[in-house]
Amino acid sequence: MRAVIQRVSRASVTVNGGEPRAIGRGIVILLGVGEHDTLAIVPKLAEKCAQLRIFEDENGKLNLSAAELGYSALVVSNFTLYGDTAKGRRPSFIRAAKPPLSVDAYEAFLHAMEQQGLSEVQHGEFGADMQVSLVNDGPVTIMIDTDEWAKH
């Protein structure tokens, strides 16, 4: 799985032109599921995202997590994180998981995030037309690729 985590002062997602689903201070997570991913990695990834120390402590050091501070999370599915640009100019998305794995993994991730002690977890809808708006605070942006974990 791949997750792009952005520290935000505020963010929202609008799904199919509906009412915005908004958060204040916290994290936005763009989540991609790869064709070889399994649901077993979901709890560890959710914990890593919520506990990632990307907020300043009293000394200005990145030492606190969204969960520790009681902040929120906004999670948006994003298969384009698996875009392969090695050939040509049009990305290939063949390495992105297809349903039902992609949907099941996204739903499991949302559930796991709700167990992390955040004040709230807002989210988009898998496969929907979504517009994401955010104010990246810092900017702080971290990318996690669970395939890299196996290499360490």
Side-chain angles (χ1 to χ4, degrees):
M1 297 179 85
R2 291 181 178 164
V4 174
I5 301 103
Q6 297 180 326
R7 184 179 78 179
V8 299
S9 54
R10 66 180 179 277
S12 66
V13 61
T14 302
V15 180
N16 294 325
E19 289 297 314
R21 301 170 186 182
I23 64 167
R25 199 146 165 80
I27 55 176
V28 169
I29 302 169
L30 304 177
L31 182 72
V33 181
E35 63 182 342
H36 298 296
D37 288 330
T38 67
L39 297 182
I41 196 71
V42 169
K44 183 177 179 183
L45 179 59
E47 180 180 13
K48 178 72 83 172
C49 291
Q51 300 297 330
L52 204 58
R53 298 182 336 177
I54 57 173
F55 292 90
E56 286 95 0
D57 63 13
E58 64 278 357
N59 297 315
K61 301 290 184 193
L62 296 181
N63 240 349
L64 300 170
S65 70
E68 288 173 302
L69 294 167
Y71 290 162
S72 302
L74 174 65
V75 181
V76 178
S77 63
N78 192 330
F79 76 93
T80 63
L81 292 178
Y82 277 90
D84 181 354
T85 60
K87 296 181 182 176
R89 295 178 294 166
R90 180 180 301 162
S92 168
F93 302 106
I94 198 160
R95 293 183 45 217
K98 314 290 185 280
L101 173 59
S102 54
V103 176
D104 292 347
Y106 178 67
E107 295 295 328
F109 184 80
L110 292 176
H111 178 72
M113 285 297 293
E114 290 170 353
Q115 311 304 310
Q116 297 302 316
L118 298 156
S119 66
E120 68 176 326
V121 178
Q122 293 286 342
H123 58 85
E125 291 180 21
F126 187 90
D129 178 49
M130 296 178 280
Q131 283 72 50
V132 178
S133 176
L134 61 91
V135 177
N136 189 323
D137 180 22
V140 174
T141 303
I142 306 292
M143 180 161 169
I144 297 173
D145 186 338
T146 60
D147 289 343
E148 297 295 317
W149 293 351
K151 296 177 183 176
H152 298 282

